Amino acid sequence: MTPFPYQYVVLRCVPRAEREEFLNVGVVLRSQAAEHLEAAFAVDRERVHAFAPDLDLDDLDAALQTVCDVAAGREGGGLPRLGDDGRRFGWLSAPRSTVVRPGPVHSGLTDDPAAEVQRLLDRLVR
């Protein structure tokens, strides 16, 4: 089987932008060839609380769940209507000034995009 090319971003928790400090909390992966777009997150609540004691961890979880919902193509209820996965990945990987921010776009090859999401999460977040 020929591996699928993919692009991904690491989602960062940036509670105070002026300090330029962050913790990795999730990933978003898109493989156009495999028609796959998926986001996943893993928040170490003790670590984030130690890093940013004033941050509302439930709000952080909700923001990350919104990313997962957009990646899955859910719409309505305050979620944007973006259509295809290319537009959704563009929206998810665009710089923003919120507590959850995407890092730079990286690329790779994988035989299984869904499993790669978990590998990236284990390697870069957990």
Side-chain angles (χ1 to χ4, degrees), residues 2-35:
T2 303
F4 298 108
Y6 67 88
Q7 294 179 303
Y8 74 94
V9 294
V10 176
L11 300 172
R12 299 169 171 177
C13 173
V14 184
R16 293 182 51 202
E18 70 276 9
R19 293 190 58 136
E20 298 187 22
E21 298 173 334
F22 61 87
L23 291 175
N24 294 342
V25 291
V27 295
V28 180
L29 179 141
R30 177 182 185 237
S31 174
Q32 182 177 2
E35 298 179 355

Side-chain angles (χ1 to χ4, degrees), residues 37 66 69-92:
L37 175 61
T66 296
D69 290 343
V70 170
R74 294 185 189 95
E75 297 179 344
L79 297 173
R81 295 179 191 270
L82 298 168
D84 67 61
D85 65 349
R87 290 189 64 208
R88 292 195 318 272
F89 182 75
W91 188 84
L92 292 168

Side-chain angles (χ1 to χ4, degrees), residues 26-124:
V27 295
V28 180
L29 179 141
R30 177 182 185 237
S31 174
Q32 182 177 2
E35 298 179 355
H36 188 89
L37 175 61
E38 182 180 352
F41 65 93
V43 176
D44 181 332
R45 294 177 75 84
E46 287 182 26
R47 186 173 182 215
V48 173
H49 179 72
F51 177 64
D54 296 332
L55 184 65
D56 185 319
L57 298 178
D58 292 333
D59 286 349
L60 175 61
D61 286 341
L64 290 163
Q65 185 58 54
T66 296
V67 169
C68 292
D69 290 343
V70 170
R74 294 185 189 95
E75 297 179 344
L79 297 173
R81 295 179 191 270
L82 298 168
D84 67 61
D85 65 349
R87 290 189 64 208
R88 292 195 318 272
F89 182 75
W91 188 84
L92 292 168
S93 63
R96 51 187 33 89
S97 60
T98 62
V99 171
V100 175
R101 299 181 185 193
V105 176
H106 301 282
S107 61
L109 296 170
T110 184
D111 293 329
D112 184 348
E116 191 67 22
V117 169
Q118 292 306 309
R119 282 191 289 271
L120 289 170
L121 199 62
D122 288 342
R123 192 176 79 211
L124 302 172

